[in-house]
Amino acid sequence: MSSSELQNLYQQVILDYSKNPYGVGLLGRAAGQSHQLNPTCGDEITLEVHLSGEGADRVVERIRWEGHGCAISQASASLLTELAEGLTVEDLRTRIDAFRTAMQSRGKIAPDEELLGDAVALGGVSRYVARVKCAMLGWVAAEHALVEAETR
Amino acid sequence: MSSSELQNLYQQVILDYSKNPYGVGLLGRAAGQSHQLNPTCGDEITLEVHLSGEGADRVVERIRWEGHGCAISQASASLLTELAEGLTVEDLRTRIDAFRTAMQSRGKIAPDEELLGDAVALGGVSRYVARVKCAMLGWVAAEHALVEAETR
Amino acid sequence: MTGTSETTHAPTAAEINLWREDFPLLATEVNGHPLAYLDSGATSQKPRTVLDAERHYYENLNAAVHRGAHTLAAEATVLFEDARATVADFVGAEEDELVWTSNATEALNLVAYAFSNASAGRGGAAAERFRLGAGDEIVVTEMEHHANLIPWQELAFRTGATLRYIPVGDDGALRMEAADEVITPRTRLLAFTHVSNVLGLINPVEELVARARAVGAFVVLDACQSVPHLPVDLKALDVDFAAFSGHKMLGPTGIGALYGRGELLAAMPPFLTGGSMITTVTMEAAEYLPPPQRFEAGTQKVSQAIALAAAVEYLKGIGMDRIAAHEDELGARLLAGLAEIPGVTVLGGSAPGPRVGAASFDLAGVHAHDVGQFLDDQGIAIRVGHHCAQPLHRRLGITASTRASTYLYNTTEEVDRFLEGVAATANFFGVKA
Amino acid sequence: MTGTSETTHAPTAAEINLWREDFPLLATEVNGHPLAYLDSGATSQKPRTVLDAERHYYENLNAAVHRGAHTLAAEATVLFEDARATVADFVGAEEDELVWTSNATEALNLVAYAFSNASAGRGGAAAERFRLGAGDEIVVTEMEHHANLIPWQELAFRTGATLRYIPVGDDGALRMEAADEVITPRTRLLAFTHVSNVLGLINPVEELVARARAVGAFVVLDACQSVPHLPVDLKALDVDFAAFSGHKMLGPTGIGALYGRGELLAAMPPFLTGGSMITTVTMEAAEYLPPPQRFEAGTQKVSQAIALAAAVEYLKGIGMDRIAAHEDELGARLLAGLAEIPGVTVLGGSAPGPRVGAASFDLAGVHAHDVGQFLDDQGIAIRVGHHCAQPLHRRLGITASTRASTYLYNTTEEVDRFLEGVAATANFFGVKA
Ligand SMILES: Cc1ncc(COP(=O)(O)O)c(C=O)c1O
Ligand SMILES: Cc1ncc(COP(=O)(O)O)c(C=O)c1O
Ligand code: FES
Ligand code: FES
């Protein structure tokens, strides 16, 4: 019944992660934390980055989050969490940027699999302007949490 | 150069009265007074009705007024003043009503010469919605002044 | 259920198809499907006559109204004021009781700010009745649209008054038995919605007005969702103020209206100030025109008012009772259909009517935006989210819902397509009954 | 005299005739004569592309913006925000520094009420810089349009601040030497018009801004008569806020804009409240979105914003420098011609330039409305009255004046017809030199 574009938007991996999200549950005492809200729908996320190491070698140990939202936002936060583990802070930043570029391209730029791994499943979102914020919610939270970690 | 309609609007009697208005100058101690303002242009008039007699026999002795405005408003106040002298209060009321009816008719009802005398020269005004207030200014002031005279 | 369907002939499918032809946008394809527009609660589509009225104005008469004496300006002024008379008459008001605003939100803010200005001493003795302060109470309901909630919150903050509210029950309806505790002699103003934009429920106006009158409170009615869909006579409803929006009733964006009882508008200090609303201005102070001009500062929404009057003529041509009867049928079909889909909970679905042709629902475990995406993929346009009523959603235990809302141009086939779409979505996401 | 005419080629008569064909209304006959529309200072005529943009929107995309996820709504939102970007860029602003309002009057009221709300404690610590009270001063000028005067009077009344003004001289120009006495360290806000709607004079923005900056005052620019007629870069002018109206720049009625410096808008409490401007709402309080949404409560002026962007594209297509050069020529012709008519006194006529293509005059012994009537009889549409500037007229010793104001579509023949008409009117009424 549904179009191939829609099936591309709701890929199996997205449906799976939305039902079984990854990394849910805050631990506290994180290096950085951020709360983000999507004003169109009222959904929110709170996200922690836990780091180890110092300076340029600082590494993301884990991300934890809590929140509510649509399938896309929940899957996206899960995919981010999975992707981030073990990356340096700089690396994660680069990938967030790459993800944003793809999302804001209105369907013109496919996400780079080398940088984004399974998160390329979210590529279809960028054709749906109204849903880009859903996909970005967790990633924007991570970006802010990293800034917080730095300025603390 | 100007159309016959315009010449009908600015008849000689109107031009004459606008240059030499009749009844200008307040006397004070009037039975009724009213101040009216035309909000479209900011022009104003203050008008007094001086009465004699009592009850149903009350007669308008004279009207006096002061103000500024366009040729039509000045001529109209003058014509009203001339018309009113010697009429009973009831009579003047009737004529004000007749004048209003003609003015608001959008060119459909000619003023009644028997009731309105020389003021029929203002008949052309009713085709010009934006100018009806000009012609009515003095007459509305008289109407209010009569009400004031009554309620005092 | 609107009280009109028994006596009025609902339109036939053939009639509706004729009306549809007046609405160019309804012929659009979306995502490869014919558009089924079920989002009129957010904004309605426009018939050609409305678009033509606006264009005709700009091509033939456009000029500044209530200013200047040239022919175009005079004719534009007549059209503009005729439009006011048409719309005022449509809701049972006098001409000078209808103030043009840019939307219903601004109309509600106008009242709130006029009270606020009166409370700051503006408007002299005549405006004393509008002054609020500590100890005074403003009452709203828990089902209000943000437009009929936040202006009162802010008014309370500015004046020191207290905001209270009539709660809704688990079934989504107003808990009228609680109203007696909330509406007290301290209540100065009661603001509530005629029809909930989420639940589609028609509130008991008469009862609420009676309670407000009993304590001497002003009544503000949010008529945004009633005026477009039901015959409404504001005088008969006996409210003091009412607000509605043009874009929800076949008119253009950028225009709304405030109804105010004549003697109240006449006593109220102005809100927006500037040109076209004054008599005399010095560098020190200004004197203000009587209503409605007092509340219409600056260049007027001329083409919008004229187009809204054309919309009202269109609605009158069909008849509001027939529109209500038609939507009543569609609404009943919506409710019955949704009740059969596994996992669907209709918000306010168990509350006793009356209601208009709109329903919002929750689909267990599936976010409203995902439901909306599936329907959109099939060309079905509905609204998802909190519908500017966060407190009501929170009260009902959810963040967002999916709303289908109908209008005169919707068909039973569109409602059925919507119901099938929801069923298929439930199925796709594996929702269990 | 606009500083552009030396370097820019003014358009030829043939070019202007081509532009005229884009404006359907200009082909109208009025009272048996071809219309000569010389009232663009009040409101401008609209090119077909603007009307088409609006109609195209309603026929193809109309939906609620910034709400819901369906395809139409998403596309409408993109168009709406693109329109904002277009108009913001046109005046040298960033997208999020441009707030849609219903006209310039509302834009000025928005600033005044935001200051008022800050003064009532709203907006928290960030808004402290906007708080006014006794001892604070607001400065305007004696030539302001009521829209840039009364909102400040009312703000002063509400907050206890004092309103002062820069006087104009006998020649109608601002007495800049007096400005130093009026603008003092007590001055918190200076509001003035870029171009006088009566005199056509362009005020010395740079000088006034410098004085305001020297005392730390905010600057509000009324750009109603500049943005339609001159190249304007609000960032380069370094003002804090500016207001202009769509209908005066080829756009529809019902839309205007407020420019606000980003960091100021971000710190300002809201004015109108309701839907589409919040993040979280409880029954007790609301949290607000960042600008520009924070200041755009309720359903947006969608079709109007899109049409205004089309108007801006049209203006850009011609080039504001060329429009200014053309109006400069027309204005010079107007002034020179009026100077030759017996009994005519041009308001501000003896003040040194620069000015736009507009002039108001007094005809000795003949009321402006009578002059207007004679011109209208010949199909010449001009404006008569106080032009919403009563204090300026009073200062110049008159109640009303007659104004001719030009735009890109006016021809030298129209100006000449106007001048002949004034001369004939003077003759008819027996005006002596
Ligand atoms: C200088 C000036 N300021 C303000 C305004 C008010 O504009 P609007 O009536 O569009 O709000 C006008 C035009 O009427 C104007 O010319
Ligand atoms: C019940 C109700 N009140 C108020 C509003 C606000 O109307 P607008 O956004 O047109 O100002 C709406 C619609 O959004 C509504 O449904
Ligand atoms: S709909 Fe809220 S995050 Fe997607
Ligand atoms: S124009 Fe003012 S009274 Fe006629």
Side-chain angles (χ1 to χ4, degrees):
Chain A
M1 52 126 234
S2 54
S3 69
S4 60
E5 267 177 45
L6 192 73
Q7 273 160 6
N8 183 35
L9 182 63
Y10 289 96
Q11 293 183 23
Q12 197 55 46
V13 49
I14 292 178
L15 293 175
D16 291 347
Y17 270 120
S18 81
K19 275 180 201 149
N20 301 300
Y22 178 76
V24 171
L26 300 180
L27 302 177
R29 283 197 266 159
Q33 204 203 43
S34 167
H35 173 251
Q36 293 294 323
L37 188 137
N38 183 347
T40 357
C41 53
D43 290 321
E44 356 189 14
I45 193 167
T46 308
L47 182 145
E48 301 171 343
V49 286
H50 296 269
L51 305 181
S52 62
E54 286 300 322
D57 299 331
R58 261 181 134 184
V59 163
V60 179
E61 278 208 338
R62 68 168 65 82
I63 281 182
R64 304 286 294 190
W65 59 277
E66 254 174 41
H68 53 84
C70 60
I72 292 170
S73 68
Q74 303 302 292
S76 186
S78 302
L79 285 160
L80 161 76
T81 302
E82 206 184 52
L83 177 73
E85 277 176 20
L87 295 182
T88 67
V89 166
E90 261 330 289
D91 243 14
L92 178 53
R93 281 228 174 81
T94 310
R95 288 157 205 241
I96 293 173
D97 287 345
F99 187 71
R100 175 182 284 117
T101 305
M103 285 300 110
Q104 293 181 342
S105 73
R106 298 194 187 174
K108 291 200 200 77
I109 302 172
D112 179 338
E113 182 147 16
E114 222 160 292
L115 284 175
L116 299 170
D118 284 353
V120 297
L122 290 157
V125 175
S126 83
R127 299 176 156 276
Y128 297 90
V129 246
R131 307 306 297 278
V132 171
K133 276 193 185 146
C134 304
M136 286 304 301
L137 198 61
W139 301 65
V140 169
E143 193 173 36
H144 279 79
L146 289 180
V147 171
E148 207 201 46
E150 207 157 57
T151 52
R152 251 189 200 168
Chain B
M1 52 123 235
S2 53
S3 70
S4 61
E5 266 178 46
L6 192 73
Q7 272 158 9
N8 182 36
L9 182 63
Y10 288 96
Q11 293 181 23
Q12 197 56 45
V13 49
I14 292 178
L15 293 174
D16 290 348
Y17 270 120
S18 81
K19 276 181 197 146
N20 300 299
Y22 178 76
V24 171
L26 300 180
L27 304 177
R29 284 198 265 158
Q33 205 202 44
S34 168
H35 173 252
Q36 293 294 323
L37 187 138
N38 183 346
T40 356
C41 53
D43 290 322
E44 352 189 18
I45 193 168
T46 307
L47 182 146
E48 300 172 343
V49 285
H50 297 269
L51 305 180
S52 63
E54 285 301 322
D57 298 330
R58 261 182 133 184
V59 163
V60 179
E61 279 207 336
R62 66 166 67 82
I63 282 182
R64 303 285 296 187
W65 59 278
E66 255 174 40
H68 53 83
C70 60
I72 291 168
S73 68
Q74 303 302 291
S76 186
S78 302
L79 286 159
L80 160 76
T81 302
E82 210 184 49
L83 176 73
E85 278 174 20
L87 296 181
T88 65
V89 167
E90 261 329 289
D91 243 16
L92 178 53
R93 279 230 175 81
T94 311
R95 288 156 205 242
I96 292 173
D97 287 344
F99 187 71
R100 174 182 287 117
T101 305
M103 285 302 109
Q104 292 181 344
S105 73
R106 297 195 188 174
K108 291 202 201 75
I109 302 172
D112 180 339
E113 183 148 17
E114 224 161 289
L115 284 174
L116 298 171
D118 284 354
V120 297
L122 290 157
V125 175
S126 81
R127 300 177 156 276
Y128 297 90
V129 246
R131 306 307 296 280
V132 171
K133 275 192 187 149
C134 303
M136 287 304 303
L137 198 61
W139 301 65
V140 169
E143 193 174 37
H144 279 80
L146 289 179
V147 171
E148 205 200 46
E150 207 159 57
T151 52
R152 252 189 198 171
Chain C
M1 303 290 248
T2 58
T4 57
S5 54
E6 273 87 9
T7 52
T8 313
H9 245 38
T12 63
E15 267 182 293
I16 292 159
N17 281 330
L18 275 181
W19 299 342
R20 287 177 68 85
E21 285 180 13
D22 297 332
F23 293 78
L25 190 135
L26 294 182
T28 309
E29 290 228 330
V30 169
N31 299 324
H33 299 267
L35 169 66
Y37 188 77
L38 290 167
D39 196 19
S40 294
T43 200
S44 71
Q45 297 306 335
K46 324 298 174 200
R48 215 168 272 113
T49 136
V50 167
L51 307 182
D52 288 346
E54 196 153 10
R55 186 153 195 139
H56 179 264
Y57 169 73
Y58 282 124
E59 294 194 345
N60 297 279
L61 292 164
N62 174 58
V65 308
H66 282 300
R67 299 175 177 184
H70 64 77
T71 303
L72 289 179
E75 288 176 5
T77 306
V78 170
L79 261 190
F80 176 68
E81 290 301 330
D82 284 353
R84 190 196 304 278
T86 301
V87 177
D89 179 69
F90 183 64
V91 294
E94 302 294 322
E95 269 176 64
D96 55 7
E97 294 180 322
L98 193 106
V99 176
W100 296 123
T101 62
S102 56
N103 52 25
T105 301
E106 186 172 88
L108 294 163
N109 276 273
L110 192 167
V111 179
Y113 273 106
F115 272 71
S116 187
N117 290 342
S119 309
R122 305 301 297 150
E128 242 163 66
R129 59 211 286 200
F130 306 119
R131 284 197 197 152
L132 301 181
D136 289 328
E137 296 182 351
I138 302 166
V139 174
V140 297
T141 86
E142 204 176 5
M143 64 164 70
E144 295 311 309
H145 188 282
H146 296 159
N148 200 27
L149 169 58
I150 314 181
W152 309 119
Q153 289 179 345
E154 290 285 340
L155 173 62
F157 285 132
R158 286 194 299 267
T159 58
T162 303
L163 186 76
R164 302 189 63 188
Y165 61 92
I166 304 174
V168 306
D170 292 338
D171 66 354
L174 290 183
R175 286 185 46 212
M176 290 300 290
E177 74 284 5
D180 281 330
E181 281 160 51
V182 180
I183 301 172
T184 73
R186 280 192 302 278
T187 309
R188 298 288 312 283
L189 184 147
L190 168 66
F192 66 94
T193 194
H194 193 172
V195 173
S196 159
N197 66 316
V198 177
L199 313 168
L201 287 172
I202 304 175
N203 281 320
V205 179
E206 206 176 322
E207 215 175 316
L208 286 161
V209 170
R211 295 189 198 205
R213 293 276 169 257
V215 298
F218 294 110
V219 177
V220 180
L221 187 72
D222 178 348
C224 264
Q225 296 290 348
S226 56
V227 167
H229 301 285
L230 306 172
V232 172
D233 182 334
L234 295 170
K235 276 277 161 70
L237 291 178
D238 193 31
V239 297
D240 295 308
F241 301 96
F244 55 96
S245 271
H247 68 93
K248 292 188 200 281
M249 52 192 283
L250 313 187
T253 58
I255 191 151
L258 174 71
Y259 159 79
R261 199 187 285 281
E263 44 126 11
L264 295 181
L265 288 183
M268 244 165 51
F271 164 43
L272 302 172
T273 56
S276 299
M277 49 79 75
I278 54 89
T279 55
T280 313
V281 180
T282 65
M283 287 310 291
E284 287 70 37
E287 282 167 44
Y288 301 113
L289 281 170
Q293 276 76 29
R294 185 187 303 161
F295 302 103
E296 296 177 358
T299 298
Q300 296 82 353
K301 298 135 187 70
V302 189
S303 74
Q304 289 79 23
I306 290 167
L308 179 53
V312 161
E313 293 298 354
Y314 186 91
L315 292 171
K316 287 198 320 198
I318 291 180
M320 290 309 295
D321 46 354
R322 304 196 70 209
I323 292 173
H326 174 50
E327 290 194 51
D328 200 37
E329 289 190 2
L330 294 179
R333 195 176 186 100
L334 261 179
L335 284 188
L338 283 170
E340 285 176 16
I341 302 173
V344 163
T345 311
V346 174
L347 309 191
S350 63
R355 58 182 78 229
V356 299
S360 301
F361 66 93
D362 178 57
L363 180 59
V366 185
H367 193 284
H369 274 68
D370 295 318
V371 177
Q373 199 74 57
F374 270 72
L375 295 173
D376 182 53
D377 188 60
Q378 297 162 45
I380 302 163
I382 46 80
R383 172 102 185 258
V384 294
H386 52 62
H387 316 312
C388 299
Q390 287 186 2
L392 176 61
H393 278 83
R394 200 175 291 117
R395 169 64 183 82
L396 299 177
I398 54 179
T399 314
S401 65
T402 304
R403 179 184 73 186
S405 56
T406 67
Y407 211 173
L408 59 102
Y409 40 64
N410 289 119
T411 63
T412 50
E413 288 75 29
E414 288 178 318
V415 170
D416 292 346
R417 271 177 64 197
F418 162 77
L419 293 168
E420 281 158 29
V422 175
T425 309
N427 190 40
F428 181 89
F429 282 98
V431 178
K432 309 252 155 56
Chain D
M1 302 285 249
T2 56
T4 56
S5 55
E6 272 88 13
T7 50
T8 314
H9 245 38
T12 63
E15 266 182 294
I16 291 159
N17 281 330
L18 275 182
W19 299 342
R20 287 177 70 83
E21 285 179 15
D22 297 331
F23 293 79
L25 191 136
L26 294 181
T28 308
E29 289 227 331
V30 170
N31 299 323
H33 299 266
L35 169 68
Y37 188 77
L38 289 167
D39 196 19
S40 295
T43 200
S44 70
Q45 297 306 334
K46 325 298 174 201
R48 212 167 274 113
T49 133
V50 167
L51 306 182
D52 289 346
E54 198 155 5
R55 188 157 193 132
H56 179 264
Y57 169 72
Y58 281 125
E59 294 193 346
N60 297 280
L61 291 165
N62 174 58
V65 308
H66 281 301
R67 298 175 178 184
H70 64 79
T71 302
L72 289 179
E75 287 176 6
T77 305
V78 169
L79 259 190
F80 176 69
E81 289 301 330
D82 284 354
R84 190 196 303 278
T86 300
V87 177
D89 179 70
F90 183 65
V91 294
E94 303 294 324
E95 269 177 65
D96 55 6
E97 294 180 323
L98 193 105
V99 176
W100 296 123
T101 62
S102 57
N103 52 25
T105 302
E106 186 172 86
L108 294 162
N109 276 274
L110 191 167
V111 179
Y113 272 106
F115 272 69
S116 188
N117 291 343
S119 309
R122 306 300 298 149
E128 242 165 65
R129 59 211 287 201
F130 306 120
R131 285 198 195 154
L132 300 182
D136 288 328
E137 295 181 352
I138 302 165
V139 173
V140 297
T141 86
E142 205 177 3
M143 66 163 70
E144 294 312 310
H145 188 282
H146 297 158
N148 199 27
L149 168 59
I150 314 182
W152 308 120
Q153 290 178 346
E154 290 286 339
L155 174 62
F157 285 132
R158 286 194 298 267
T159 58
T162 303
L163 186 76
R164 302 188 63 187
Y165 61 92
I166 304 174
V168 306
D170 293 337
D171 65 354
L174 290 184
R175 287 183 46 211
M176 289 301 290
E177 73 284 5
D180 281 331
E181 283 160 48
V182 180
I183 301 170
T184 71
R186 279 192 301 278
T187 309
R188 297 289 310 284
L189 183 147
L190 169 66
F192 66 94
T193 193
H194 193 173
V195 173
S196 160
N197 66 316
V198 176
L199 313 168
L201 288 171
I202 304 175
N203 281 320
V205 179
E206 205 176 322
E207 216 175 314
L208 286 161
V209 169
R211 294 188 198 206
R213 292 276 170 256
V215 298
F218 293 110
V219 177
V220 180
L221 187 72
D222 178 348
C224 265
Q225 296 291 346
S226 56
V227 166
H229 300 286
L230 307 171
V232 172
D233 182 333
L234 295 170
K235 276 280 162 67
L237 292 177
D238 192 30
V239 297
D240 294 308
F241 300 98
F244 54 97
S245 271
H247 68 94
K248 291 188 201 279
M249 52 193 285
L250 313 187
T253 58
I255 191 152
L258 173 71
Y259 159 79
R261 200 188 285 282
E263 44 127 9
L264 295 180
L265 288 184
M268 243 164 54
F271 163 43
L272 301 173
T273 55
S276 298
M277 48 81 74
I278 55 87
T279 54
T280 312
V281 180
T282 65
M283 286 310 291
E284 287 70 38
E287 282 166 45
Y288 301 113
L289 281 169
Q293 277 75 28
R294 184 188 302 163
F295 302 102
E296 296 178 356
T299 298
Q300 297 82 353
K301 300 134 185 69
V302 189
S303 75
Q304 289 78 24
I306 290 167
L308 180 52
V312 161
E313 292 298 353
Y314 186 90
L315 291 170
K316 287 197 323 199
I318 291 181
M320 289 310 295
D321 47 354
R322 303 197 71 209
I323 292 173
H326 173 50
E327 291 195 50
D328 200 38
E329 289 189 1
L330 295 179
R333 196 175 186 103
L334 261 179
L335 284 188
L338 283 170
E340 284 175 17
I341 302 173
V344 163
T345 310
V346 174
L347 309 191
S350 64
R355 57 182 80 228
V356 299
S360 301
F361 65 93
D362 178 56
L363 180 59
V366 186
H367 193 285
H369 274 68
D370 295 318
V371 177
Q373 199 74 60
F374 270 72
L375 295 173
D376 182 52
D377 189 59
Q378 298 163 45
I380 302 163
I382 46 79
R383 171 102 185 259
V384 293
H386 52 61
H387 317 311
C388 300
Q390 287 188 0
L392 176 61
H393 278 83
R394 201 174 290 118
R395 170 66 185 81
L396 300 176
I398 54 179
T399 314
S401 65
T402 304
R403 178 183 73 187
S405 56
T406 67
Y407 211 173
L408 58 101
Y409 39 64
N410 289 119
T411 63
T412 50
E413 289 73 30
E414 289 179 317
V415 169
D416 292 347
R417 271 177 64 196
F418 163 77
L419 293 168
E420 280 158 31
V422 175
T425 308
N427 190 39
F428 181 90
F429 282 98
V431 177
K432 310 252 156 53

